[in-house]
């Protein structure tokens, strides 16, 4: 079983997700206590894509983050570099155009999407700034980027409680439900090492995106960043 380190070597990350693919969705539901469904609805609302528009869901995994777009009549391209995750997705939703792609070198033309979105992917990318620059390249001028990623609870007492859940309870629960429990230790460590809301916004803006704003979900466990490609 592969477990990525905080170096996030792309081969280790892809292999780790290959290992968890078969139980990925059920494990998510359990570990997030069902909150993941709420987060997905918020992503679709923030993207505000209309039928006829084209959305890239990068690091789409098994396509769970892409499904709500397709169900709303929006053309969505679920892309990921873990073939194991894509395979599970394709078995589940054969109608979606699952595409093999690395976020740091996207196989898409300039300005070919109205919206680029990424749910729980950027934290796993070896060079997030290279990925943010690629997202800007493939988004049309005036188009949007929506990032859904773990962040920092805003309330101090809740943050302490959540940190205990991450470092102690989550790995224990993962041992009972996941096909690769060690990868959930990586999950906890990578969340703790990830920039908070404000630092993330600054990083997105530094990659050339404008009008960067965010909103917290579940008390800041997750943050939704929204940005626009300048005209
Ligand atoms: C936690 S899963 C998220 C899947 C899906 N977006 C969701 O919300 O359920 C993270 C995904 O990021 C993908 N990933 C990580 N680094 C990537 C990269 N550089 N290019 C493409 N996909 C990447 C992994 O393969 C994995 O499927």
């Amino acid at each position: 079983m592969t477990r990525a380190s905080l170096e996030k070597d792309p081969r280790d990350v892809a292999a780790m997700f290959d290992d968890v693919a078969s139980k990925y969705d059920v494990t998510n539901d359990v570990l997030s206590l069902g909150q993941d469904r709420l987060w997905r609805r918020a992503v679709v609302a923030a993207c505000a894509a209309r039928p006829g528009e084209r959305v890239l869901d990068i690091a789409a995994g098994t396509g769970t983050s892409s499904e709500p777009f397709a169900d709303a009549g929006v053309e969505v391209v679920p892309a990921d570099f873990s073939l194991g995750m894509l395979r599970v997705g394709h078995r589940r939703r054969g109608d979606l155009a699952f595409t093999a792609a690395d976020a740091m070198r996207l196989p898409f033309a300039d300005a070919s999407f109205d919206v680029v979105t990424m749910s729980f992917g950027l934290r796993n990318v070896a060079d997030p700034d290279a990925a943010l620059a690629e997202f800007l390249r493939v988004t049309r001028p005036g188009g949007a980027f929506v990032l859904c990623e773990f962040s920092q609870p805003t309330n101090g007492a809740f943050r302490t409680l959540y940190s205990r859940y991450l470092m102690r309870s989550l790995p224990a629960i993962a041992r009972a439900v996941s096909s690769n429990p060690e990868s959930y230790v990586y999950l906890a460590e990578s969340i703790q090492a990830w920039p908070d809301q404000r630092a993330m916004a600054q990083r997105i803006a530094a990659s050339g995106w404008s009008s960067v704003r965010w909103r917290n979900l579940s008390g800041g466990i997750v943050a939704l960043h929204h940005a626009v490609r300048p005209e």
Side-chain angles (χ1 to χ4, degrees):
M1 288 291 162
T2 312
R3 199 219 106 149
S5 73
L6 292 184
E7 303 277 298
K8 302 171 188 181
D9 180 303
R11 276 161 307 193
D12 291 347
V13 173
M16 179 180 77
F17 281 101
D18 286 347
D19 283 347
V20 299
S22 61
K23 288 191 180 171
Y24 172 79
D25 285 297
V26 66
T27 310
N28 257 2
D29 265 353
V30 172
L31 292 178
S32 75
L33 311 172
Q35 294 281 299
D36 53 336
R37 289 155 195 258
L38 184 152
W39 301 335
R40 296 194 190 293
R41 279 201 295 278
V43 170
V44 175
C47 288
R50 291 180 296 269
E53 289 196 323
R54 199 160 177 251
V55 174
L56 170 63
D57 182 18
I58 181 67
T62 62
T64 311
S65 48
S66 314
E67 278 175 290
F69 291 98
D71 295 343
V74 172
E75 184 189 342
V76 62
V77 177
D80 201 284
F81 75 174
S82 157
L83 299 183
M85 293 288 269
L86 291 174
R87 228 172 268 129
V88 170
H90 182 69
R91 266 202 302 272
R92 225 165 31 81
R93 281 292 297 246
D95 59 319
L96 297 184
F98 285 96
T99 303
D102 183 340
M104 295 179 287
R105 280 183 60 171
L106 292 174
F108 304 112
D110 294 359
S112 49
F113 292 94
D114 297 288
V115 180
V116 172
T117 183
M118 188 180 215
S119 292
F120 308 107
L122 196 60
R123 190 179 20 87
N124 303 303
V125 172
D127 186 347
D129 300 316
L132 289 168
E134 272 295 82
F135 304 161
L136 189 72
R137 180 184 68 75
V138 302
T139 303
R140 68 161 166 82
F145 170 53
V146 172
L147 176 71
C148 178
E149 189 50 88
F150 289 109
S151 200
Q152 269 204 24
T154 46
N155 174 287
F158 181 49
R159 196 162 52 239
T160 308
L161 213 67
Y162 172 64
S163 179
R164 276 196 208 129
Y165 168 73
L166 269 185
M167 303 311 281
R168 295 186 199 161
S169 314
L170 185 139
I173 301 170
R175 270 192 287 279
V177 282
S178 171
S179 45
N180 181 357
E182 273 302 300
S183 67
Y184 288 85
V185 176
Y186 161 80
L187 171 69
E189 289 173 359
S190 64
I191 291 173
Q192 297 254 299
W194 192 242
D196 68 10
Q197 290 83 336
R198 186 170 304 279
M200 192 66 239
Q202 284 163 353
R203 201 155 180 180
I204 294 171
S207 297
W209 292 92
S210 66
S211 311
V212 184
R213 55 186 159 84
W214 74 86
R215 104 176 165 86
N216 292 315
L217 302 175
S218 306
I221 288 180
V222 167
L224 216 56
H225 284 79
H226 185 283
V228 175
R229 175 172 170 177
E231 297 274 0

